[in-house]
């Protein structure tokens, strides 16, 4: 089988890999579609991010869906022919965090396409792979692999919304309208937010946020003065989701959040200067949001039921033979929101 293997920075190759038979509790999955994530882009264009660096060839990808090809002994969760979404998280279920119901903080996490540990955890951008049956979440045959492959990023957005608490009737700001930000708009709408504003510095991504349910979108690069009205009287928004990873956006989020607002940090941007005096004076509750756990099943249910339509964010599905073009397109925010690799 062919797989998209990153050998070094901007050295992505279609290598042939061996895919054997599934063992007890395992399944073999024929991958149909895989979404290119921001972390994949960091590996491809920069060789990693922060202290996490590529040290050996690694298959990229963790947002995938496909069809069960074969099952091992004892597998009853899925059967050959089933269309499934693969949960890329493989927590140990034995450490203190797993036992406390916080498996996203597992001390021995194995997450597809991650160079955080060595040997690296191989990813899922391959024509076929062997997975644990517990990673497989079945969807109906009427759900395309393109829809299903949004399961992982939607789970990230749903976890962020869960971190915020109740959104019923609240004024919500989403800063950063990339795939995660736009899916957070959809998740916030699903959770009953009363009013949703999305901001970004690129018009093309704001189109996606509107498609996902934003009431108002603002290009803060073209019209920076438009945010001033939200700073009046100590701020306007009850909940802010910061999904851009921009230090400037963090400062702006604090400025427009009202006293005792909740700021959920999804984006990461390394060392960031923070106006602590304003954070303290407004008594803002600043919370991190990292990956997901139980939200994965919820994400799959939302996609399958039609409660959240993810397809408006899909820009193009590019054949794996053109993987380099797909990565170039995915990093161009003026042309693309979410790019998938096609493995059929």
């Amino acid at each position: 089988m062919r797989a998209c293997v990153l050998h070094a920075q901007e050295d992505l190759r279609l290598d042939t890999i061996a895919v054997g038979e599934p063992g007890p509790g395992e399944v073999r999955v024929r991958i149909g579609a895989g979404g290119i994530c921001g972390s994949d882009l960091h590996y491809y264009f920069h060789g990693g991010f922060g202290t996490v660096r590529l040290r050996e060839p690694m298959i990229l990808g963790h947002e995938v869906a496909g069809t069960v090809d074969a099952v091992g002994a004892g597998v009853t969760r899925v059967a050959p022919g089933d269309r499934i979404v693969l949960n890329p998280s493989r927590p140990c279920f034995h450490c203190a965090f797993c036992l406390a119901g916080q498996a996203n903080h597992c001390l021995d996490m194995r997450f597809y396409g991650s160079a955080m540990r060595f040997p690296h955890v191989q990813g899922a951008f391959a024509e076929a792979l062997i997975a644990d049956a517990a990673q497989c979440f079945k969807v109906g045959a009427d759900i395309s692999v393109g829809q299903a492959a949004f399961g992982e990023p939607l789970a990230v957005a749903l976890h962020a919304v869960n971190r915020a608490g109740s959104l019923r009737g609240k004024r919500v700001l989403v800063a950063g309208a990339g795939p995660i930000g736009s899916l957070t708009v959809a998740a916030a709408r699903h959770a009953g937010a009363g009013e949703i504003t999305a901001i970004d510095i690129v018009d093309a991504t704001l189109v996606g946020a509107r498609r996902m349910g934003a009431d108002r979108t603002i290009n803060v690069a073209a019209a920076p003065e438009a945010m001033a009205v939200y700073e009046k009287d100590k701020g306007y928004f009850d909940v802010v989701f910061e999904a851009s990873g921009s230090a400037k956006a963090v400062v702006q989020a604090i400025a427009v959040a009202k006293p005792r607002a909740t700021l959920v940090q999804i984006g990461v941007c390394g060392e960031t200067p923070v106006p602590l005096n304003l954070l303290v004076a407004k008594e803002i509750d600043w919370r991190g949001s990292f990956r997901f756990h139980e939200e994965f099943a919820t994400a799959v249910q939302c996609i399958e039921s039609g409660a959240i339509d993810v397809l408006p964010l899909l820009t193009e599905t590019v054949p794996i033979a053109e993987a380099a073009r797909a990565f170039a397109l995915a990093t161009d925010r003026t042309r693309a929101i979410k790019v998938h690799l096609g493995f059929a």
Side-chain angles (χ1 to χ4, degrees):
M1 295 297 171
R2 295 178 298 171
C4 296
V5 182
L6 186 66
H7 287 256
Q9 182 176 331
E10 296 192 59
D11 182 9
L12 185 64
R13 309 177 195 176
L14 276 183
D15 290 347
T16 300
I17 61 169
V19 180
E21 297 297 319
E26 295 179 335
V27 302
R28 187 171 63 215
V29 181
R30 294 272 183 169
I31 301 300
I36 298 175
C37 174
S39 63
D40 298 317
L41 294 174
H42 277 293
Y43 283 126
Y44 178 73
F45 286 105
H46 309 293
F49 47 92
T51 59
V52 178
R53 313 308 300 175
L54 188 75
R55 291 184 283 166
E56 66 174 346
M58 182 178 76
I59 302 173
L60 295 176
H62 57 267
E63 303 177 6
V64 296
T67 304
V68 175
D69 182 53
V71 300
V75 173
T76 58
R77 183 183 179 95
V78 292
D82 285 347
R83 180 162 294 167
I84 58 98
V85 190
L86 269 176
N87 186 338
S89 294
R90 292 184 292 163
C92 71
F93 293 115
H94 300 298
C95 71
F97 292 108
C98 285
L99 295 176
Q102 301 171 8
N104 58 316
H105 294 291
C106 175
L107 295 173
D108 193 27
M109 174 67 77
R110 294 178 180 275
F111 195 90
Y112 280 168
S114 172
M116 287 186 177
R117 58 195 301 160
F118 188 84
H120 300 334
V121 181
Q122 297 298 312
F125 283 170
E127 290 178 316
L129 55 78
I130 301 294
D132 293 336
Q135 294 175 258
C136 299
F137 289 74
K138 184 178 176 180
V139 296
D142 58 329
I143 302 299
S144 69
V145 287
Q147 289 172 285
F150 275 90
E152 194 273 348
L154 180 56
V156 171
L158 290 169
H159 182 67
V161 165
N162 283 343
R163 291 287 293 141
S166 175
L167 296 186
R168 183 69 56 185
K170 293 186 176 179
R171 296 169 173 172
V172 171
L173 174 68
V174 178
I180 296 299
S182 291
L183 288 170
T184 300
V185 168
R189 179 61 69 204
H190 181 66
E195 175 187 317
I196 304 174
T197 300
I199 62 175
D200 204 296
I201 60 173
V202 179
D203 285 332
T205 58
L206 290 171
V207 171
R210 286 193 294 274
R211 290 172 180 168
M212 302 312 286
D215 299 295
R216 183 186 305 110
T217 58
I218 301 170
N219 184 325
V220 292
E225 71 284 354
M227 296 304 290
V229 65
Y230 300 112
E231 297 182 24
K232 292 180 178 179
D233 300 325
K234 292 192 174 184
Y236 180 84
F237 295 102
D238 301 298
V239 179
V240 179
F241 295 96
E242 204 301 290
S244 72
S246 161
K248 185 176 180 179
V250 171
V251 173
Q252 187 167 67
I254 294 171
V256 298
K258 66 190 295 185
R260 298 196 177 181
T262 299
L263 169 55
V264 179
Q265 189 68 40
I266 311 170
V268 292
C269 49
E271 299 294 328
T272 304
V274 176
L276 284 178
N277 57 331
L278 198 56
L279 190 78
V280 170
K282 288 190 177 186
E283 298 183 309
I284 291 173
D285 190 350
W286 194 9
R287 305 175 184 177
S289 182
F290 181 65
R291 289 183 181 164
F292 52 83
H293 182 54
E294 65 273 9
E295 293 89 356
F296 194 89
T298 305
V300 175
Q301 290 168 5
C302 285
I303 292 171
E304 186 168 31
S305 68
I308 295 179
D309 182 9
V310 294
L311 282 182
L313 296 180
L314 181 57
T315 301
E316 184 180 346
T317 300
V318 179
I320 57 168
E322 302 174 39
R325 180 175 76 82
F327 274 75
L329 176 61
T331 198
D332 186 350
R333 301 184 75 234
T334 66
R335 295 192 297 140
I337 300 175
K338 173 59 74 174
V339 176
H340 282 180
L341 288 174
F343 295 84

